[in-house]
Structures are given as structure tokens and as C-alpha cells.
Amino acid sequence: MPTPCPALTPSPARDASGAAADDGLLDHVSDWGPVITPIGEFQLHPVHIGRDLPLITRWMNDPAVAEFWELAGSQTVTEDHLRTQLAGDGRSVPCLGVLEGAPMSYWEIYRADLDPLARHYPARPHDTGIHLLIGSVADRGRGLGSTLLRAVADLALDKRPACARVIAEPDLRNTPSIAAFLSAGFRFSAEVDLPAKRAALMVRDRSLRDLL
């Protein structure tokens, strides 16, 4: 597991100027707090570029990650991707996933109903989307992804009362990711043709959360 980054206390998302970005469109991810999972205490920390950029850049250059995220390259590539979100209106919040005090995953929590994705599926108001990558090779393939996906989806439903569904759209070729979502209580809804990929639309419904 990666060495913890310094000063991993909760911090607000930052825009391009360094000022705190308003994540009110997602009911303040920065305030969602920790959750106890079967594998330990987990928390989403909104990204601070000055602290987190080298680590996220390293993860993006892992071949298994780069195949689907397509953000391999210099720190500038990753920084541009992060700043696009941090300088926005808060509809997408990039986060580090911190397990037992150690950063081990990268997440994007976003308003799927306000995203271009909404043009490709029957979106509902306040649909919450999730993107995830597990940073360390040692943390992959042993069920951590499923456990954390379930935890974060449940957090979104708990902290966002208006949200009835959590949405994901992994690449249809990424069978390990799809399997993780299914194990986390998501259902396969449809195949969706997006501009950059053919995706599996995965849905975790509030009404089914205690059944799946």
C-alpha cells in the first residue's frame, strides 16, 4: 500500500487559483466523513493538487490504468485533468480514497444528470456518478474495489437524500471493473455508446440497496 501523503486531513476541493471550490451540487463531498468498512476506515479526501499530483500521476502511468483512463504522460496531463474539475462549478469532485490512513485509490464523484453522460441514458435528477481506480497493483484483484464501491455508493445515498441512484459507466472491455460493480450491489442496466468508448451502464438503486 502506498506511503501516506503528508497532511492528509480533510481539505476542500481547490479551483485553479487555489481557492476552495463549491461542491454543493454534490452535497459537500468534503463533509461526507469516514465510513467503517470490512477492510478498515475509509474516507474520500477531495484532491489538493499541491499535495496529491505526484501520486495520482504515478497511478495514471500504470499500464493497466492508462489503458482505460488514457491519462499517461507527464504531470501536466494529470494536472490539466484535475484542474478542469477543480475550476468548475462542483459538479465533479476528484478525490483520494484513504484506507486506514493511506491513500490507495482515486475517485471522481460527479453529477451524472449534469454530465454529458446524461445525453446517452435516461438520466434522473440528482443521479450521482462514480469513477474509480485502485492505485497499487498489490491492492487489485482481492475484492477491495467491490467493498469500497459499495461503501462509497452507500455514502452517496446517505449523504445525498435527493439522489435515488448511483451510476457508473466502465468500459465494456474492463471486465474486472464490471465484476467489481456487480459484487458491490450495482446492476447492469444497458450497453451505452459514448464518444470515447462502449460502456456498461451500472446502477445502484436506493430502493434495492438492502437487497443487492
Side-chain angles (χ1 to χ4, degrees):
M1 189 171 289
T3 303
C5 291
L8 267 174
T9 53
S11 61
R14 300 281 169 176
D15 68 15
S17 68
D22 181 7
D23 61 351
L25 287 173
L26 283 158
D27 296 285
H28 306 288
V29 176
S30 52
D31 295 332
W32 284 9
V35 60
I36 302 301
T37 78
I39 55 176
E41 184 179 273
F42 180 79
Q43 187 165 1
L44 294 171
H45 291 272
V47 164
H48 186 295
I49 286 182
R51 179 191 67 199
D52 304 325
L53 181 59
L55 178 61
I56 298 172
T57 300
R58 188 170 81 239
W59 290 345
M60 291 297 183
N61 279 278
D62 181 301
V65 172
E67 180 180 3
F68 297 107
W69 283 77
E70 298 181 347
L71 289 171
S74 68
Q75 283 195 167
T76 303
V77 176
T78 302
E79 183 173 1
D80 288 348
H81 179 76
L82 296 172
R83 286 198 184 278
T84 297
Q85 297 172 80
L86 297 178
D89 60 4
R91 70 183 60 192
S92 182
V93 180
C95 299
L96 278 187
V98 178
L99 180 63
E100 290 291 288
M104 48 72 66
S105 52
Y106 171 74
W107 300 72
E108 292 172 354
I109 311 299
Y110 66 99
R111 282 287 296 270
D113 60 320
L114 303 179
D115 189 82
L117 173 65
R119 305 186 192 119
H120 302 276
Y121 83 104
R124 299 179 189 172
H126 295 281
D127 278 352
T128 303
I130 291 178
H131 295 144
L132 162 67
L133 72 83
I134 302 294
S136 171
V137 174
D139 286 333
R140 300 175 198 156
R142 49 193 193 95
L144 270 67
S146 296
T147 298
L148 297 179
L149 283 168
R150 183 180 292 272
V152 170
D154 285 345
L155 260 178
L157 294 172
D158 288 340
K159 302 298 184 179
R160 305 203 63 235
C163 170
R165 306 187 303 177
V166 180
I167 305 295
E169 22 78 32
D171 193 300
L172 200 60
R173 300 169 298 153
N174 194 346
T175 52
S177 178
I178 294 170
F181 278 105
L182 290 170
S183 296
F186 286 72
R187 59 181 174 85
F188 174 82
S189 177
E191 293 185 12
V192 181
D193 285 313
L194 302 179
K197 64 184 179 183
R198 187 163 179 79
L201 183 67
M202 311 298 296
V203 180
R204 181 158 170 76
D205 303 274
R206 180 184 294 279
S207 61
L208 299 176
R209 64 185 293 192
D210 295 327
L211 302 176
L212 298 175

